[in-house]
Amino acid sequence: MGYFMNISRSNIPVLSAILFILSLFNPLAISIDDTVKFDLNYSPTWGSNHVTVLGNGTQVQLLLDQQSGAGFNSKKNYGSGIFRLKMKMPNKKDAGVITTFYLTGVPIGQPNGGSHDEVDIEFLGSNGKPFILSTNVFANDGGNREQQFALWFDPKEDFHVYEILWNHHHIVFFVDKIPIRVYHNLKARLGVNYPSHPMHVETSIWNFTSWLGPVDWSQAPFVAEYRGFGVEACVHDSSDPRGCHSPKYYWNAPKYWKLSPIQQNFLKEHVRKNHMVYDYCADKNKHFIECET
């Protein structure tokens, strides 16, 4: 990873106050319901003996040790929506460990590979350094559209809300209701592929030593926690593939086609300037047409 900036933590109280005020202007500022039970919309995908359901079904722990990691997925495929989960990272030195929440068009139960649509939120573990939140978008191709952020809080100390808005106009990544990234639908204007196939939700914790380096297994087990299992999304109907673009779903209404001026300014002047540590458009080894406009 490159293009790192020095992230100052000295102004965190001021930043927190600004973020709170900004969240009040977020039209997606809907409280996440901690009482929704896991098995209503989700089920374990792999490593089932490393998945623990707690709190009368309202909280899930995914465990990683030398034997296995674990993951769960949504039971249905969707064509648009607002996908949100509360997550808490492993409270360990977890270099080499990835904790994820993402959308994928790969059929449930099949390994990733080939051309597919995917929208990623991935936490890259570290040994004492700030967690890096890595985002990526795959659109019928190999992806490589990473943007990465050092957040303004420690994600292993408490639960925080992570959201993906996906409609026919853009994809927006939110952290605690704050937009950190926008990926526009430029298919018609520039011919850039855009996720348009049905996708479902996946989560996982696993080790990726070839990318992040070796895991210190003396720290194991690594435990990631999830809450808030409600889903606000359009279930994909193969007989009406464009039905999920309908304005009857509030996230498809015109006010959700772009960020508000306040959000746009904050994204540019605060999040990108102070917290972005990698941008694929700034990588001279990568060339994408959307980065040239």
Side-chain angles (χ1 to χ4, degrees):
M1 295 179 289
Y3 305 98
F4 277 83
M5 303 175 183
N6 292 322
I7 305 299
S8 172
R9 300 284 172 170
S10 60
N11 61 345
I12 292 301
V14 174
L15 178 60
S16 297
I18 295 173
L19 291 171
F20 173 75
I21 294 171
L22 178 64
S23 72
L24 300 179
F25 293 90
N26 182 359
L28 299 180
I30 299 171
S31 297
I32 192 167
D33 188 352
D34 279 348
T35 67
V36 178
K37 293 190 176 183
F38 169 73
D39 61 4
L40 178 65
N41 296 307
Y42 294 93
S43 60
T45 312
W46 62 287
S48 57
N49 62 343
H50 285 55
V51 179
T52 303
V53 181
L54 304 170
N56 194 29
T58 61
Q59 182 170 326
V60 166
Q61 292 181 340
L62 299 183
L63 184 148
L64 169 69
D65 58 22
Q66 286 183 280
Q67 282 69 50
S68 178
F72 63 83
N73 61 253
S74 62
K75 296 179 179 180
K76 297 179 180 179
N77 288 309
Y78 304 99
S80 68
I82 301 168
F83 305 88
R84 54 171 69 95
L85 283 170
K86 281 187 174 180
M87 300 170 61
K88 184 179 179 182
M89 299 303 111
N91 191 14
K92 298 285 185 69
K93 293 180 179 180
D94 62 346
V97 175
I98 293 185
T99 305
T100 73
F101 159 42
Y102 61 102
L103 308 178
T104 179
V106 176
I108 294 174
Q110 294 187 18
N112 289 358
S115 296
H116 68 289
D117 292 350
E118 186 169 305
V119 182
D120 292 339
I121 291 176
E122 298 178 315
F123 275 95
L124 313 183
S126 68
N127 286 339
K129 297 179 180 179
F131 273 86
I132 297 299
L133 186 155
S134 182
T135 66
N136 201 355
V137 177
F138 295 75
N140 199 34
D141 62 14
N144 294 320
R145 292 181 169 90
E146 296 95 344
Q147 289 184 355
Q148 298 175 344
F149 305 85
L151 299 177
W152 50 92
F153 57 83
D154 186 344
K156 69 178 182 290
E157 291 184 349
D158 203 353
F159 284 91
H160 292 268
V161 181
Y162 304 92
E163 297 174 275
I164 299 170
L165 164 65
W166 172 39
N167 60 30
H168 191 56
H169 298 273
H170 62 186
I171 292 166
V172 186
F173 297 80
F174 293 89
V175 176
D176 287 339
K177 305 173 186 177
I178 307 303
I180 64 166
R181 178 181 181 178
V182 179
Y183 184 82
H184 298 284
N185 186 351
L186 300 174
K187 178 70 174 179
R189 185 157 68 91
L190 298 177
V192 178
N193 286 331
Y194 184 80
S196 58
H197 298 98
M199 294 191 285
H200 64 276
V201 180
E202 292 267 3
T203 74
S204 61
I205 184 170
W206 56 296
N207 57 297
F208 195 176
T209 57
S210 62
W211 184 24
L212 301 178
V215 176
D216 179 1
W217 292 111
S218 70
Q219 298 286 321
F222 304 96
V223 178
E225 300 180 74
Y226 295 79
R227 293 177 183 168
F229 299 110
V231 174
E232 292 185 79
C234 170
V235 176
H236 175 71
D237 182 352
S238 58
S239 67
D240 183 18
R242 296 181 60 84
C244 287
H245 299 167
S246 170
K248 72 179 181 180
Y249 300 107
Y250 73 88
W251 53 84
N252 291 329
K255 69 178 180 179
Y256 298 103
W257 293 1
K258 62 181 181 180
L259 298 182
S260 70
I262 292 175
Q263 290 175 315
Q264 291 179 40
N265 182 71
F266 195 87
L267 174 63
K268 177 182 178 181
E269 299 298 329
H270 293 275
V271 176
R272 288 183 62 88
K273 284 187 177 180
N274 298 317
H275 296 281
M276 178 179 281
V277 297
Y278 176 82
D279 182 4
Y280 75 102
C281 282
D283 190 334
K284 296 180 180 179
N285 295 317
K286 297 180 180 181
H287 303 281
F288 292 91
I289 189 171
E290 69 267 24
C291 299
E292 301 170 3
T293 60

